[in-house]
Amino acid sequence: MTRESLSRDLPASFVVFLVALPLSMGIALASGAPILSGLIAAVLGGVVVGALSGVPLQVSGPAAGLAVIVFGYIEQFGLPVLGAIIALAGLLQIGLGAARIARVALAISPAVVHGMLAGIGIQIALAQLHVVLGDAPESSAIKNILALPHQVAHMHNGATAVGIASIALVVLWPMLPSAALKRVPAPLVAVGACTLAAAALRLNVPRVELPGNPLSAFHAPALPSQYGAAVLAAVTLAVVASAESLLSAVATDKLHDGPRADLDRELIAQGVGNVTSGLLGGLPITGVIVRSRANIDAGGQTRASTMLHGLWVLFFVGALSGVIAMIPKAALAGLLVVVGARLVSPTHIREMIRTEQWPVYAVTLLGVVGINLLAGIGLGVTLAVVTLLRRLTRVEVSTEARDGKVHVVIEGSLTFVGVPKVTSALAAIPPGRHVDIDLVVDVIDHAAFEALHEWRGGYERTGGSVDMDQLHEAWSPKQDTAYEDPAAEMLPVQVAKA
């Protein structure tokens, strides 16, 4: 690290800190965990993961995409056991990274990933809307929907005013014409302004609870009574957190011209961070694209900016914990309503429609919202596999005689399954003609290749002639879709084809 890089890393680290601080507290609130747990994860994500990271400019910490998972685990196992689950998930990540199979996580269908995040976003927004209205959220998205009319009819005016003001500031602040003002992160403006207003007006609203002595709130991890369920929870957490971190790393690579990502090293770093966070009472850690982009846009040059942002959080908690205790919960809830809503990205929905993957997206989303996270992912993955298999068995053959030739167009996936259909159509062509075959296929296997060439040889021996051209080898006639940075704590989309 040179003096020149430090001169850019230091201010960049402070910008990231301003973005990460309110979001880390809000994610802890959405997870049903102590606010301190989110701040611990932010510190460790910066210092520990940043020091070991294979993606120096990626910023790690608690992420909204894991909030619903953590909330469910706390309800099922309790906070001490959650620490053990996070630590075990971290060990699994270290093992996956050491085995150098990090890129396997990138094989998850983008439709499943976006559907999962959209479902999680809806759950977060619905739950935190109840906090904005001055009450506690229900245990499921369906119950939250059913309870909304009663909550609206019995709003708590002080909390509701704070929450609505927070939502308005987060949404409207980036629309200001002043470039200088827009450099101040909207989440910080929303939380800071609502805190000052609540204090000035002496509003009697629930506020963030933070112990005066952080060590007094420490809970050592506890072993679960249901080992099988806890291991399954750890595996689920490891898979989802790894996918989010690695996809974020790939997206971060596209935002700068520096060293490329070492995904296996990154996965090991994420694992070490989660082991440490689990043992110290923090939330699970992932790479987060929004903070990473803020780091790069602010001029971050090395991993120092990531590490320093963690130290800024640590300093703030240690020196200004009284300020944190003044923050209204409704202000953080309003911030999370916007974060959750933005996880349902119109860009991703248009992309899913364009690439014909919307059924997988919709099934995953509805499964996450209506049943649970695992069921939603399972349904989405199953439908994605079924769709792929169906696509690999689809082949269309059209034959037309014109200009003294027989034109044959074969479209789809030409595999052994489609050989009978293709050879049947070719057998109907009268002998002695000139045949022009256009292969508009995305894949052709050995059986189909042999069948075509055997037919061609036999047909030419009867006096006919055959020209065979492969027009393209694209997986789909649709255009490639590239990653677009979302405006919320969410997973980047990998480059994919339908």
Side-chain angles (χ1 to χ4, degrees):
M1 181 173 61
T2 65
R3 179 177 298 179
E4 181 182 354
S5 65
L6 182 60
S7 68
R8 301 188 67 178
D9 285 331
L10 189 61
S13 71
F14 194 70
V15 171
V16 178
F17 155 72
L18 295 178
V19 174
L21 182 68
L23 287 171
S24 298
M25 291 189 290
I27 290 164
L29 178 67
S31 302
I35 297 295
L36 189 62
S37 296
L39 297 172
I40 290 171
V43 172
L44 297 175
V47 177
V48 176
V49 179
L52 303 174
S53 176
V55 193
L57 297 183
Q58 174 163 275
V59 181
S60 298
L66 297 180
V68 172
I69 302 177
V70 174
F71 184 87
Y73 289 172
I74 292 175
E75 290 284 307
Q76 182 178 358
F77 300 104
L79 198 58
V81 175
L82 173 67
I85 291 173
I86 294 172
L88 178 56
L91 291 174
L92 292 173
Q93 289 180 301
I94 293 172
L96 292 172
R100 306 192 67 79
I101 57 174
R103 288 192 177 272
V104 172
L106 302 181
I108 300 175
S109 167
V112 174
V113 171
H114 296 320
M116 176 193 73
L117 286 172
I120 288 173
I122 290 171
Q123 288 184 309
I124 290 174
L126 287 172
Q128 296 308 307
L129 193 55
H130 284 273
V131 180
V132 168
L133 297 174
D135 210 334
E138 300 292 335
S139 58
S140 71
I142 303 299
K143 291 181 178 178
N144 278 323
I145 293 173
L146 295 175
L148 268 179
H150 179 268
Q151 292 280 41
V152 172
H154 299 82
M155 289 188 296
H156 298 258
N157 293 332
T160 303
V162 170
I164 292 175
S166 177
I167 293 172
L169 284 168
V170 174
V171 173
L172 298 177
W173 188 261
M175 300 179 186
L176 293 177
S178 171
L181 289 176
K182 286 195 290 188
R183 290 194 187 99
V184 183
L188 181 70
V189 173
V191 173
C194 290
T195 300
L196 290 174
L201 298 174
R202 301 180 183 274
L203 295 180
N204 183 22
V205 294
R207 286 178 163 78
V208 167
E209 298 173 3
L210 195 68
N213 178 12
L215 294 178
S216 65
F218 173 73
H219 294 283
L223 295 176
S225 57
Q226 303 172 324
Y227 284 99
V231 170
L232 178 61
V235 171
T236 302
L237 183 59
V239 169
V240 176
S242 298
E244 181 162 355
S245 296
L246 295 176
L247 292 173
S248 175
V250 171
T252 300
D253 255 9
K254 299 175 183 179
L255 301 177
H256 67 91
D257 299 323
R260 300 296 87 186
D262 182 338
L263 297 184
D264 293 305
R265 176 174 173 176
E266 177 63 20
L267 193 53
I268 292 173
Q270 295 291 334
V272 173
N274 275 316
V275 170
T276 310
S277 187
L279 295 177
L280 295 180
L283 294 178
I285 293 169
T286 73
V288 186
I289 185 59
V290 169
R291 298 173 207 177
S292 303
R293 177 151 199 163
N295 183 30
I296 294 168
D297 289 347
Q301 296 291 299
T302 70
R303 67 181 71 250
S305 60
T306 298
M307 297 171 65
L308 285 170
H309 114 271
L311 294 177
W312 284 119
V313 176
L314 180 62
F315 171 79
F316 189 88
V317 174
L320 300 171
S321 59
V323 175
I324 296 177
M326 296 172 60
I327 298 173
K329 286 185 177 181
L332 295 177
L335 167 62
L336 287 168
V337 168
V338 179
V339 168
R342 285 176 175 169
L343 285 173
V344 188
S345 167
T347 299
H348 293 152
I349 293 173
R350 288 193 296 269
E351 175 190 320
M352 293 301 105
I353 294 172
R354 185 173 66 248
T355 57
E356 299 178 358
Q357 291 292 295
W358 63 266
V360 177
Y361 176 92
V363 165
T364 306
L365 186 156
L366 294 174
V368 170
V369 173
I371 308 175
N372 56 51
L373 182 77
L374 274 181
I377 294 174
L379 289 171
V381 169
T382 300
L383 183 57
V385 171
V386 170
T387 302
L388 176 61
L389 293 177
R390 179 178 175 275
R391 186 171 197 136
L392 290 175
T393 62
R394 184 184 65 83
V395 62
E396 299 293 336
V397 185
S398 61
T399 305
E400 180 185 7
R402 69 173 188 271
D403 302 328
K405 298 181 180 180
V406 177
H407 294 269
V408 180
V409 178
I410 302 174
E411 298 179 281
S413 299
L414 189 50
T415 65
F416 67 94
V417 178
V419 166
K421 183 176 183 178
V422 172
T423 55
S424 177
L426 294 176
I429 299 174
R433 306 289 295 276
H434 181 79
V435 181
D436 188 3
I437 300 178
D438 292 331
L439 299 176
V440 191
V441 297
D442 45 53
V443 64
I444 179 170
D445 70 1
H446 182 71
F449 179 84
E450 288 291 331
L452 281 175
H453 281 271
E454 285 179 10
W455 176 85
R456 178 180 186 175
Y459 191 80
E460 290 179 339
R461 283 193 295 272
T462 66
S465 63
V466 179
D467 287 332
M468 195 177 303
D469 298 306
Q470 187 164 0
L471 298 187
H472 69 83
E473 299 177 332
W475 173 251
S476 168
K478 307 295 183 184
Q479 295 294 318
D480 288 354
T481 55
Y483 165 73
E484 294 185 32
D485 182 32
E489 292 277 349
M490 60 193 303
L491 209 62
V493 57
Q494 64 204 84
V495 176
K497 297 180 181 179

